[in-house]
Amino acid sequence: MSIYSIVFTSILVVILIWKTYKLFKNKRNSGDFEGIDDELVIMLNEGDSIG
Amino acid sequence: MAKQAVQLSKKKRTKYRFQKLKMCKKCNRYSVLKDQNCSKCGSAYVGIDRLVKSIFKNRLFTEAMWILMIVSIGIVAAPTVQTLYYSLVAGLIFCISYVVLTFVFMKSEFFIQLKRLLRADFKKIQAGIQFDSELAKADVKEDRLAPAYEKLREIGDFINSDQLKIRRVMVLNEIILRSDMELELEPLIPSSYDKDFVQYALEVLRINRTLITKKCIAYFIHYRDAIVIDFGMDSLIAVAGTALRMKLYIVEFSGFIEEFLEYFPKERVLRLCNILYSNPDVDWGGLSEKAKQLVAMKYHYDPDFKRFVS
Ligand SMILES: [Zn+2]
């Protein structure tokens, strides 16, 4: 196998690993939709400027 | 001022609150109201789900472009025919893996995208709701009470300030309430004493007693002195009467009920005695004793109370 093929393959593998890492991280950080609802309401009511 | 007879539409229900958010892409403004079209420019609103999906699609498209570019360069720049074939196969496998990964994690990616959007656009959302609130104010000013209330009701899903609650209550107090309206009471309880709220609560009590919940009774007890001054003792008697609806409430508010026992009509007393009689093992406090005294005094010769008189 040529050096070229090895470098090209390595680049693709690194991209895949990076992508998988990010996807896993996002999956771990994602909660449930109730959590989003609660966060939204808390954020909107924090300043209490709307009446 | 005479109250208005109006027709309130049913509330729009979504599984989650954020699903009510929508955006006018032309005005770049969010709204939580039921309207399908922007009240400023008339163009159709885009729901938050669709908004996130389109952002997500754009992101995937950009990624796909990058990937194709990298793979193409790898193929084009191959020095020999053999490496060219190798790059082609490697690129293909890479692309397939990328697509599979994207599909497997689609749900959590969508979720993260939604969260990011809400966080990033939070100020915009707030401003949008403020605008909705101004529209409701304008409706109230021009005496369009039903649309005003419907707007405030939608906003109330997101904003739980006392100010908004009171604005809703004040509109409701101008409307002839009917039992077929989807009335709410508990979500409108303010954090301090408010005369308008009590007026509304007493009106609701007349129409649909089941809306008088534990929290509401507790509110009446907490602010009883002010309520007696503004609305008289009868209002407290009526509220104490609604507490007889459930065994749970009777236990919780036995002291409060005890105070007004003698003012209750016969059927209420009968109902209370029935509950007390069939649950002798529950600790009713002084209520049980007081009820016995009342029956002995007032209903001694009443055949309906015969089984309670020992
Ligand atoms: Zn618009």
Side-chain angles (χ1 to χ4, degrees):
Chain A
M1 209 153 77
S2 67
I3 301 271
Y4 181 83
S5 299
I6 293 170
V7 170
F8 182 57
T9 313
S10 311
I11 290 172
L12 296 186
V13 168
V14 166
I15 294 175
L16 267 187
I17 291 173
W18 169 246
K19 177 76 182 166
T20 314
Y21 164 73
K22 273 190 73 176
L23 287 172
F24 264 107
K25 208 178 91 185
N26 280 348
K27 194 175 168 71
R28 223 187 30 238
N29 287 341
S30 74
D32 48 10
F33 288 115
E34 276 96 1
I36 285 198
D37 249 6
D38 293 344
E39 190 187 313
L40 182 66
V41 171
I42 290 169
M43 279 200 304
L44 287 172
N45 284 289
E46 246 170 13
D48 222 355
S49 54
I50 301 173
Chain B
M1 208 174 79
K3 290 191 178 195
Q4 263 188 39
V6 298
Q7 195 74 41
L8 293 181
S9 65
K10 294 257 181 272
K11 196 174 170 183
K12 188 183 160 196
R13 296 198 188 282
T14 52
K15 192 164 179 213
Y16 301 106
R17 272 183 278 209
F18 69 82
Q19 289 170 323
K20 285 191 179 180
L21 277 171
K22 50 193 150 191
M23 188 198 219
C24 170
K25 278 191 159 173
K26 219 168 164 187
C27 306
N28 201 12
R29 179 176 63 79
Y30 280 95
S31 173
V32 295
L33 303 182
K34 279 199 297 189
D35 314 353
Q36 300 292 317
N37 293 81
C38 173
S39 49
K40 234 181 187 171
C41 70
S43 48
Y45 281 122
V46 180
I48 190 95
D49 282 23
R50 259 181 63 201
L51 210 62
V52 174
K53 265 179 200 148
S54 78
I55 294 173
F56 192 49
K57 265 186 204 155
N58 285 345
R59 213 188 79 195
L60 286 185
F61 183 75
T62 320
E63 272 180 24
M65 284 297 122
W66 270 104
I67 281 164
L68 282 179
M69 209 171 73
I70 292 167
V71 172
S72 309
I73 290 173
I75 294 167
V76 172
T80 63
V81 178
Q82 208 189 354
T83 41
L84 188 141
Y85 280 131
Y86 176 81
S87 303
L88 203 68
V89 173
L92 201 68
I93 293 172
F94 172 75
C95 285
I96 291 170
S97 321
Y98 204 96
V99 169
V100 169
L101 267 179
T102 306
F103 271 96
V104 168
F105 288 92
M106 187 89 110
K107 215 180 142 194
S108 60
E109 286 300 289
F110 175 81
F111 187 90
I112 290 283
Q113 194 66 60
L114 171 69
K115 209 153 133 179
R116 268 191 212 140
L117 179 71
L118 291 180
R119 279 186 189 163
D121 277 3
F122 147 64
K123 284 277 168 209
K124 245 197 248 173
I125 295 170
Q126 207 168 32
I129 295 178
Q130 183 70 55
F131 184 84
D132 290 341
S133 164
E134 301 297 332
L135 289 179
K137 248 179 219 165
D139 278 342
V140 172
K141 251 192 200 138
E142 309 201 349
D143 233 17
R144 295 187 300 256
L145 296 181
Y149 179 69
E150 283 161 12
K151 286 187 179 78
L152 291 172
R153 189 173 57 184
E154 299 299 332
I155 297 169
D157 271 349
F158 294 87
I159 306 297
N160 41 38
S161 67
D162 276 0
Q163 206 192 342
L164 191 80
K165 287 176 187 172
I166 300 310
R167 277 176 65 195
R168 283 176 74 180
V169 163
M170 283 167 84
V171 173
L172 285 165
N173 281 340
E174 303 277 310
I175 291 175
I176 300 170
L177 303 178
R178 292 188 316 267
S179 54
D180 63 311
M181 290 174 173
E182 275 183 336
L183 295 173
E184 288 176 286
L185 188 61
E186 196 170 309
L188 295 175
I189 299 176
S191 58
S192 59
Y193 178 67
D194 184 84
K195 202 174 162 180
D196 289 305
F197 170 75
V198 176
Q199 188 193 332
Y200 170 66
L202 290 171
E203 185 70 15
V204 169
L205 188 151
R206 216 174 42 75
I207 296 165
N208 185 356
R209 278 154 40 103
T210 56
L211 286 174
I212 310 288
T213 53
K214 193 169 150 182
K215 227 177 132 185
C216 190
I217 300 170
Y219 182 90
F220 269 83
I221 296 175
H222 194 257
Y223 298 106
R224 54 183 296 171
D225 297 337
I227 291 169
V228 168
I229 292 169
D230 286 336
F231 297 93
M233 192 60 97
D234 286 350
S235 57
L236 284 187
I237 296 170
V239 171
T242 63
L244 297 179
R245 265 181 13 248
M246 272 187 256
K247 188 181 144 196
L248 205 77
Y249 286 1
I250 300 175
V251 178
E252 178 88 23
F253 302 111
S254 62
F256 183 56
I257 294 169
E258 200 183 319
E259 278 180 62
F260 301 102
L261 202 55
E262 53 200 298
Y263 303 105
F264 289 153
K266 182 188 147 189
E267 42 91 19
R268 295 260 164 93
V269 179
L270 192 60
R271 187 179 149 66
L272 177 68
C273 287
N274 263 319
I275 293 172
L276 296 178
Y277 193 76
S278 48
N279 296 283
D281 44 332
V282 176
D283 178 21
W284 300 105
L287 184 60
S288 188
E289 199 50 47
K290 185 92 184 272
K292 259 185 206 155
Q293 283 172 15
L294 181 76
V295 171
M297 248 168 56
K298 214 169 158 186
Y299 301 105
H300 192 70
Y301 298 106
D302 194 316
D304 291 339
F305 286 86
K306 208 174 161 193
R307 65 197 187 103
F308 307 123
V309 182
S310 44

